[in-house]
Amino acid sequence: MLSLTMCFLFRSEMEVSDIVKSCNKHKIPIVPYGGSTSIEGHTLAPNGGVCIDMSSLKKVKSLHVKDMDVVVEPGIGWMELNDYLEPYGLFFPLDPGPGASIGGMCATRCSGSLAVRYGTMRDNVINLKVVLANGDVVKTGSRARKSAAGYDLTRLMIGSEGTLGVITEITLKLQKIPQYSVVAMCNFPTVKDAADVAIATMMSGIQVSRVELLDEVQVRAVNIANGKNFPELPTLMFEFIGTEAYSREQTHIVQKIAAEHNGTDFVFAEDAAAKRELWKVRKEALWACFAMEPTFEAMITDVCVPLSQLAELIAVSKKELDASRLVCTVIAHAGDGNFHTVILFDPNQEDQRLEAEKLNNFMVQTALKMEGTCTGEHGVGTGKVKYLEQELGIENLRTMKKIKAALDPNNIMNPGKLIPPHVCF
Amino acid sequence: MLSLTMCFLFRSEMEVSDIVKSCNKHKIPIVPYGGSTSIEGHTLAPNGGVCIDMSSLKKVKSLHVKDMDVVVEPGIGWMELNDYLEPYGLFFPLDPGPGASIGGMCATRCSGSLAVRYGTMRDNVINLKVVLANGDVVKTGSRARKSAAGYDLTRLMIGSEGTLGVITEITLKLQKIPQYSVVAMCNFPTVKDAADVAIATMMSGIQVSRVELLDEVQVRAVNIANGKNFPELPTLMFEFIGTEAYSREQTHIVQKIAAEHNGTDFVFAEDAAAKRELWKVRKEALWACFAMEPTFEAMITDVCVPLSQLAELIAVSKKELDASRLVCTVIAHAGDGNFHTVILFDPNQEDQRLEAEKLNNFMVQTALKMEGTCTGEHGVGTGKVKYLEQELGIENLRTMKKIKAALDPNNIMNPGKLIPPHVCF
């Protein structure tokens, strides 16, 4: 049933507005399309329709160095953008999968490993331009960094997954490239110890820029893939930024916290090449998994819980994962309580896919019981739509549906995504 | 025409839901009411109706120290909340007028002097419970710190000024009380120099927790009110936080930046009493103004521009203010580009009120020309409603109106506020 009627590459906002208006008139679904890295089915076309491919709209429209903001088209990738910004000493601090485009990152409210320090897409967008179902081009706000003027249409669009409008322009907050940074790594006997150190670090008031947790299976995957010899134990990786003195001071404070929680082999790097080498462990985690089972596919869970629950969530999940015959690795943005499992399965074996889905479901249910969310950063799409009522309640979904119907009465904008089909009002 | 029919003090969410449902049935306007500190007419009742007084709903429902969050009722004040949190080493980092309640702070998307470090109300709320016009009680999200699950109803409600729902519960992010802090003060020959230092400080990547600008008239007011002898010059005040070493390091870096921009008399305090004494200058700024004209009223502007424009905005505004026969002082949350003028006028002299309004309008128009906003933190209410179309465009206002109509078809929720009456769709 995945019949996609047409796919158009767009070159201007006006073209987008024209085709959306036309689709609205003829009640033809549209599916916005960017870097194609989303993993919850956002770009599927269950009812056919027109795919609005924004990948050639990738200009930097204006850079305001003194305002620390930049206006871009949606098709630009975050890595391309950072290459552009580097000579100005600035960067955009969100780092999802390498191919992700800024428009898609807005649409899915993405984040990544730096969210613990800089927030998610929600916190890093100043305003948007959006084409609505009726063809209206809406500017969601001024270029001031803060404003109390009107409904927060910027945030309403961020995370709406193309179901309310097509994003055609984004003004992003930028950050100064840190003067200095230190990368550190530490091993622990249990994932609970590692998670406890992440919590204690956050509670200490230290503003780490990254705190990532990998379980022993993930470290093994890295060793296999890269011919390394890291201790195959639960591991935390940190990045500390600031002045040289402050980066080092933070490192020593956290080293002490780690030691109090059974941490061993605390190492840190200040030299650029050594830092790059250490971070490769985390950056290439997903690809390292495939090195263990090169013909397999990966199902990646994404749940997020209040910080105090992270250790318990991982402990409970690990029991299920370790009991499964599938290879499962754990990666967490531990400072946010955001937890991923990479579950490898043979796509030709239906029972393995079912087993992966069962594990995924188990982790979502566990997170929901802990007042958490079914998705911390990947979005709802079609994959998580079944959990929304349990997480948010029917009154919330009814409200979403009313907003959707008000802005898109013909339900042409990415239909079938985000809002469960059974919701009425 | 300010006929307020009835005012009820509420004791539970259920009571709020019942009365809202009843008002909706009989099409009677409701006006939510909290700390009563808003200054743009949010709590006026131009069409009469029922005032929903939330000030007795002020419980802390649950504190989660390890998650660094707290669940409160809307009537609690931010200062009361901070008294409650202090023994736990935590605080809530928004500091508007002393009497403001958390519910009202959400409704107006407020911020304050710490927003440069911690963000505004938009960034510090995890979820809300809200009673909608039909009586539905909606929970806007889970208790996870980040989530990509569904439309951001939390942010839609924050800043909606009671026009979409009545906020009955708030889960707030908390911060660790800084281990150490330094307060610093520096004078400049011109406000432009002072504003330039604020910009250069932000561009340096230093994470100040406060950077406040006062003009020479404001300093004079403080001297008169408090019998002080501060140099009557444009002044910047800073707060630096972190470890002891890092707070001092930041102080010295900024001292150097200030010296490069004609800064003089850089002083800083580390002792608690000395810090309190210095901050009094800023904290009591508004009351100090009244010391100059005790029988007068104050009109307070609130505009916000991209950071690079702040110096020019203040310079242009100062020309008008200094040429006026009214006493006008300048206070800016300079790190955010957020600029206030306190314009003192005799409420018995209509021409003075008109002159104050003319100055206010001049500053809003100047900010809008600079891609800024007509309100950085005070909200729209009735006072700024006339500027919204110019700032946001009619397509934006139409979209707001559609959302409003979808959630409140009888227009009972704080009617006459935020959305200009002429907007149709």
Side-chain angles (χ1 to χ4, degrees):
Chain A
M1 286 299 288
L2 305 182
S3 61
L4 192 59
T5 316
M6 291 173 287
C7 189
F8 293 119
L9 202 60
F10 285 80
R11 283 155 307 177
S12 77
E13 186 174 87
M14 192 55 74
E15 280 184 1
V16 176
S17 172
D18 285 347
I19 196 116
V20 170
K21 224 181 289 180
S22 182
C23 285
N24 196 35
K25 191 173 157 199
H26 299 290
K27 300 190 179 165
I28 296 167
I30 66 151
V31 182
Y33 190 88
S36 172
T37 58
S38 80
I39 53 180
E40 292 294 353
H42 297 96
T43 54
L44 297 178
N47 312 303
V50 172
C51 165
I52 301 209
D53 184 347
M54 307 297 278
S55 59
S56 68
L57 278 169
K58 56 195 308 172
K59 272 203 296 287
V60 173
K61 296 178 89 171
S62 51
L63 170 65
H64 309 102
V65 173
K66 279 193 154 187
D67 299 323
M68 294 167 76
D69 72 43
V70 68
V71 184
V72 299
E73 291 183 334
I76 194 168
W78 66 273
M79 296 180 81
E80 288 168 270
L81 177 62
N82 279 337
D83 287 344
Y84 176 89
L85 295 170
E86 200 183 356
Y88 302 95
L90 296 169
F91 78 115
F92 181 66
L94 276 90
D95 58 352
S101 66
I102 297 292
M105 289 161 68
C106 289
T108 55
R109 200 185 299 132
C110 96
S111 46
S113 68
L114 286 161
V116 66
R117 171 64 184 75
Y118 297 103
T120 75
M121 215 58 195
R122 187 185 79 193
D123 309 297
N124 288 284
V125 175
I126 294 175
N127 68 50
L128 297 170
K129 279 173 86 179
V130 182
V131 173
L132 300 189
N134 64 358
D136 266 7
V137 181
V138 172
K139 175 129 184 132
T140 62
S142 75
R143 205 160 59 75
R145 287 220 154 198
K146 68 181 202 188
S147 172
Y151 297 165
D152 194 344
L153 298 187
T154 311
R155 256 44 63 179
L156 181 64
M157 292 297 160
I158 291 173
S160 65
E161 305 186 354
T163 65
L164 296 178
V166 182
I167 296 165
T168 53
E169 184 185 290
I170 306 109
T171 303
L172 297 168
K173 274 191 209 171
L174 301 176
Q175 300 290 335
K176 182 85 180 161
I177 294 175
Q179 193 184 118
Y180 202 82
S181 70
V182 176
V183 171
M185 198 182 210
C186 186
N187 306 315
F188 297 88
T190 68
V191 284
K192 190 176 175 328
D193 286 313
D196 282 344
V197 166
I199 296 169
T201 301
M202 298 304 290
M203 291 280 301
S204 75
I206 282 189
Q207 266 245 304
V208 290
S209 68
R210 288 179 163 116
V211 49
E212 300 280 302
L213 187 153
L214 296 83
D215 78 344
E216 69 285 1
V217 191
Q218 182 61 58
V219 179
R220 189 178 319 137
V222 171
N223 282 342
I224 292 170
N226 297 342
K228 296 285 178 185
N229 200 21
F230 291 110
E232 292 178 2
L233 286 169
T235 298
L236 276 185
M237 299 197 62
F238 294 93
E239 188 182 59
F240 307 106
I241 58 170
T243 59
E244 184 173 339
Y246 186 49
S247 304
R248 285 200 189 127
E249 190 183 16
Q250 293 175 81
T251 307
H252 296 315
I253 292 170
V254 171
Q255 181 169 22
K256 205 161 155 263
I257 295 172
E260 287 161 6
H261 290 81
N262 309 315
T264 53
D265 306 314
F266 190 97
V267 292
F268 63 93
E270 296 180 87
D271 166 72
K275 283 189 286 194
R276 245 197 322 275
E277 194 59 26
L278 267 189
W279 265 121
K280 265 177 81 173
V281 176
R282 173 61 189 88
K283 285 244 171 236
E284 296 176 4
L286 181 59
W287 317 119
C289 290
F290 287 118
M292 294 199 289
E293 300 284 1
T295 62
F296 280 24
E297 285 187 9
M299 184 175 289
I300 306 173
T301 65
D302 163 39
V303 294
C304 189
V305 290
L307 196 53
S308 69
Q309 304 293 310
L310 182 66
E312 178 68 8
L313 171 66
I314 298 182
V316 170
S317 302
K318 279 284 287 175
K319 236 185 231 170
E320 290 293 304
L321 298 172
D322 292 347
S324 164
R325 66 207 161 94
L326 301 183
V327 174
C328 310
T329 74
V330 165
I331 307 171
H333 303 312
D336 292 323
N338 188 192
F339 168 60
H340 303 305
T341 301
V342 180
I343 307 167
L344 295 169
F345 65 95
D346 182 343
N348 300 314
Q349 304 280 337
E350 186 56 16
D351 61 327
Q352 290 202 14
R353 182 187 296 273
L354 290 173
E355 167 80 358
E357 267 168 22
K358 200 191 79 184
L359 291 171
N360 192 345
N361 181 63
F362 176 83
M363 280 174 282
V364 171
Q365 294 296 344
T366 309
L368 292 180
K369 276 183 213 137
M370 294 172 166
E371 295 186 75
T373 176
C374 67
T375 170
E377 58 182 13
H378 293 172
V380 178
T382 55
K384 292 286 173 75
V385 84
K386 58 182 171 288
Y387 300 115
L388 277 204
E389 182 168 350
Q390 192 181 342
E391 178 173 334
L392 299 170
I394 190 68
E395 296 84 358
N396 180 307
L397 299 195
R398 267 207 300 260
T399 309
M400 292 209 286
K401 181 94 171 199
K402 280 181 191 169
I403 294 168
K404 165 79 169 161
L407 302 191
D408 178 22
N410 296 324
N411 194 25
I412 64 157
M413 307 300 277
N414 213 5
K417 319 297 162 62
L418 197 144
I419 297 180
H422 70 277
V423 177
C424 307
F425 61 87
Chain B
M1 288 299 289
L2 304 182
S3 62
L4 193 59
T5 316
M6 293 173 288
C7 189
F8 292 119
L9 202 61
F10 284 80
R11 284 154 309 179
S12 77
E13 185 174 86
M14 191 55 77
E15 279 184 2
V16 176
S17 172
D18 286 347
I19 195 116
V20 170
K21 224 182 291 181
S22 183
C23 285
N24 196 34
K25 191 172 157 198
H26 300 290
K27 300 190 178 162
I28 297 167
I30 65 151
V31 181
Y33 190 89
S36 173
T37 59
S38 80
I39 54 179
E40 293 294 353
H42 296 96
T43 54
L44 299 178
N47 312 304
V50 172
C51 165
I52 301 210
D53 184 347
M54 307 296 280
S55 60
S56 69
L57 277 169
K58 57 195 306 170
K59 272 205 296 287
V60 173
K61 296 177 89 169
S62 50
L63 170 65
H64 308 102
V65 173
K66 279 193 156 189
D67 298 323
M68 294 167 75
D69 71 44
V70 68
V71 184
V72 298
E73 291 183 334
I76 192 167
W78 66 271
M79 296 181 81
E80 289 168 90
L81 177 61
N82 279 337
D83 287 345
Y84 176 90
L85 294 171
E86 200 182 356
Y88 302 95
L90 296 169
F91 80 115
F92 180 66
L94 275 90
D95 58 352
S101 67
I102 296 291
M105 290 162 68
C106 289
T108 55
R109 201 184 299 132
C110 95
S111 46
S113 68
L114 286 162
V116 66
R117 170 68 182 73
Y118 298 104
T120 75
M121 215 58 195
R122 186 186 78 194
D123 309 296
N124 289 283
V125 174
I126 294 175
N127 67 49
L128 298 169
K129 279 173 87 179
V130 182
V131 173
L132 301 188
N134 64 357
D136 266 7
V137 181
V138 171
K139 176 130 182 132
T140 62
S142 75
R143 205 160 58 74
R145 287 221 154 196
K146 68 182 202 188
S147 172
Y151 297 164
D152 194 344
L153 299 185
T154 311
R155 255 44 63 179
L156 181 65
M157 292 297 162
I158 291 172
S160 66
E161 305 186 354
T163 66
L164 295 178
V166 182
I167 295 166
T168 53
E169 184 185 290
I170 306 107
T171 303
L172 297 167
K173 276 191 206 172
L174 301 175
Q175 301 290 336
K176 183 84 180 164
I177 294 174
Q179 194 185 116
Y180 202 82
S181 71
V182 176
V183 172
M185 199 182 211
C186 185
N187 307 315
F188 298 87
T190 68
V191 282
K192 187 174 177 327
D193 286 314
D196 283 344
V197 167
I199 296 169
T201 302
M202 298 304 290
M203 291 280 300
S204 75
I206 283 188
Q207 267 246 306
V208 290
S209 69
R210 286 178 165 119
V211 49
E212 300 280 300
L213 186 154
L214 297 82
D215 77 344
E216 70 284 0
V217 190
Q218 182 61 58
V219 178
R220 190 177 319 136
V222 170
N223 282 343
I224 293 170
N226 297 344
K228 295 286 180 187
N229 199 22
F230 290 110
E232 292 178 2
L233 286 168
T235 299
L236 276 185
M237 300 197 63
F238 293 94
E239 189 182 60
F240 307 105
I241 58 170
T243 58
E244 185 173 336
Y246 185 51
S247 303
R248 284 199 190 129
E249 190 183 16
Q250 294 174 81
T251 308
H252 296 315
I253 292 170
V254 172
Q255 182 167 19
K256 206 162 154 265
I257 295 172
E260 286 161 7
H261 290 80
N262 308 316
T264 52
D265 306 314
F266 191 97
V267 292
F268 63 93
E270 297 181 86
D271 165 74
K275 284 190 286 194
R276 244 197 322 276
E277 194 59 26
L278 266 190
W279 265 120
K280 264 177 83 173
V281 176
R282 173 62 188 90
K283 285 244 170 236
E284 296 177 4
L286 180 60
W287 317 119
C289 292
F290 288 119
M292 294 200 288
E293 301 284 2
T295 61
F296 279 23
E297 284 187 9
M299 186 175 288
I300 307 174
T301 64
D302 164 38
V303 294
C304 190
V305 291
L307 196 52
S308 68
Q309 304 294 309
L310 183 66
E312 177 68 7
L313 171 66
I314 298 182
V316 170
S317 302
K318 279 284 286 176
K319 237 185 231 172
E320 291 293 304
L321 298 171
D322 292 347
S324 165
R325 66 207 161 94
L326 301 183
V327 174
C328 310
T329 74
V330 165
I331 306 171
H333 303 312
D336 291 324
N338 188 192
F339 169 60
H340 303 306
T341 301
V342 180
I343 307 167
L344 295 169
F345 65 95
D346 182 342
N348 301 315
Q349 304 280 338
E350 185 56 16
D351 60 327
Q352 290 202 15
R353 183 188 295 275
L354 289 174
E355 167 82 359
E357 267 168 22
K358 200 191 79 185
L359 292 170
N360 193 343
N361 180 62
F362 175 84
M363 280 174 283
V364 171
Q365 294 296 346
T366 309
L368 292 180
K369 276 182 215 138
M370 295 173 164
E371 296 185 75
T373 175
C374 67
T375 171
E377 57 182 12
H378 293 172
V380 178
T382 54
K384 293 284 174 77
V385 84
K386 57 181 171 289
Y387 300 115
L388 277 203
E389 183 169 347
Q390 191 181 341
E391 177 173 336
L392 299 169
I394 192 66
E395 296 83 0
N396 180 307
L397 300 194
R398 267 207 302 261
T399 309
M400 293 209 285
K401 181 93 169 201
K402 281 182 192 169
I403 294 168
K404 165 78 170 164
L407 302 191
D408 178 22
N410 296 323
N411 193 25
I412 63 158
M413 307 300 276
N414 213 5
K417 319 297 163 61
L418 196 145
I419 296 181
H422 70 277
V423 177
C424 308
F425 59 88

